[in-house]
Amino acid sequence: MSRHPLKRLSSVALAGLFCLGAAHAGSLTVSVTDKDGKPAQDVVVLVEPATKIAPKASATPVVVSQENLRFSPFLTVVPVGSTLRFVNRDSYDHHVRSTPSGPLGSMPSVKNFELRLDAANEAPASTDEYKTAAPKGKKSGTSFSEVKVDQAGPIGLGCHLHSSMRGQVYVSGTPFFAKTDANGVATIDGIPDGAAEVGLWHPDQLQEQTPLRVQVNASPLKAVGQLNFTPKRRRS
Ligand SMILES: [Cu+2]
């Protein structure tokens, strides 16, 4: 999350005000590998400062697309209180629903929902076609739907119509979060100085990951983490 220059500025201003000299926020770069030492992508990184800070909800809806029979992105991390907008970009219907997470479905979803999403570009139906389709109900033409998430934790995503579709949302209870990229790296800015705990979470995990402990200060900090398992390769 490098989108908070204002937050950073205000921390610097405050530090100046109280003549403490240094900025009161730091950045943390975490490199995560799997159990085999290979870069681990799509790991949720959650930084909890010793003094907990509640996250601010995203000001605009966070889009999760259904495209080419996939959820895009596969993993979305949002702060508590945000609104997810599911957008169907395919030319056929989807029926998005929340599911438990984890390989055995052992992590219940923190929000339960089912959303019927009509095809993105419906050909205008003739009156006759409309009559034929009538028993299924009138199509609204809506190709997106929104869900507000108010509790921290995982939400698995599936589709009633296409069982191969799998996606993941993680709702963060801290404002300092990110997900690792293809190199297994995530950078989080604006973390208050001092001790912090770094939690790791992966959609395929069976067991919790041991949190890292870091000491945040004005200079950029690096940390390494390793998952206690090796995630399955995802079809791309
Ligand atoms: Cu579908």
Side-chain angles (χ1 to χ4, degrees), residues 66 69-71 88 90 92-96 117 158-165:
Q66 290 79 64
L69 278 179
R70 289 184 177 85
F71 287 100
N88 184 0
D90 281 330
Y92 35 85
D93 294 358
H94 288 298
H95 194 152
V96 174
L117 296 163
C159 177
H160 262 312
L161 307 177
H162 310 105
S163 59
S164 67
M165 287 177 71

Side-chain angles (χ1 to χ4, degrees), residues 1-235:
M1 296 298 283
S2 52
R3 291 185 200 160
H4 301 299
L6 282 179
K7 225 183 242 175
R8 277 202 110 158
L9 265 183
S10 61
S11 317
V12 173
L14 272 178
L17 212 61
F18 294 102
C19 301
L20 296 174
H24 273 228
S27 85
L28 171 67
T29 298
V30 185
S31 301
V32 186
T33 55
D34 62 24
K35 204 181 175 192
D36 299 324
K38 301 226 171 67
Q41 187 176 3
D42 286 333
V43 179
V44 179
V45 180
L46 305 161
V47 183
E48 284 277 10
T51 306
K52 286 201 177 187
I53 298 173
K56 273 203 186 98
S58 170
T60 51
V62 178
V63 172
V64 178
S65 293
Q66 290 79 64
E67 204 163 6
N68 301 321
L69 278 179
R70 289 184 177 85
F71 287 100
S72 175
F74 165 73
L75 168 68
T76 302
V77 193
V78 295
V80 160
S82 300
T83 296
L84 298 168
R85 176 179 291 182
F86 293 92
V87 180
N88 184 0
R89 300 192 196 281
D90 281 330
S91 56
Y92 35 85
D93 294 358
H94 288 298
H95 194 152
V96 174
R97 58 173 172 174
S98 57
T99 65
S101 298
L104 304 177
S106 52
M107 284 175 275
S109 176
V110 295
K111 182 93 183 185
N112 295 306
F113 53 86
E114 284 198 20
L115 312 165
R116 181 79 194 206
L117 296 163
D118 291 351
N121 299 304
E122 271 186 280
S126 71
T127 311
D128 281 351
E129 278 171 333
Y130 176 71
K131 278 179 186 160
T132 316
K136 288 184 195 163
K138 188 187 170 207
K139 291 210 172 186
S140 66
T142 309
S143 59
F144 78 84
S145 202
E146 295 183 341
V147 172
K148 190 179 177 211
V149 289
D150 30 34
Q151 197 188 326
I155 300 171
L157 300 175
C159 177
H160 262 312
L161 307 177
H162 310 105
S163 59
S164 67
M165 287 177 71
R166 286 275 177 275
Q168 186 66 54
V169 171
Y170 195 94
V171 184
S172 172
T174 167
F176 311 109
F177 61 83
K179 65 173 183 178
T180 58
D181 61 18
N183 298 314
V185 177
T187 297
I188 300 166
D189 292 321
I191 308 166
D193 280 8
E197 195 173 275
V198 184
L200 304 176
W201 187 88
H202 188 284
D204 292 351
Q205 74 182 33
L206 275 173
Q207 296 173 311
E208 299 220 339
Q209 308 300 307
T210 310
L212 312 169
R213 286 173 210 291
V214 295
Q215 194 69 30
V216 178
N217 54 54
S219 46
L221 194 66
K222 284 185 195 291
V224 292
Q226 186 165 28
L227 300 179
N228 58 19
F229 71 107
T230 292
K232 273 188 305 188
R233 281 197 151 254
R234 236 171 273 294
R235 71 204 176 106

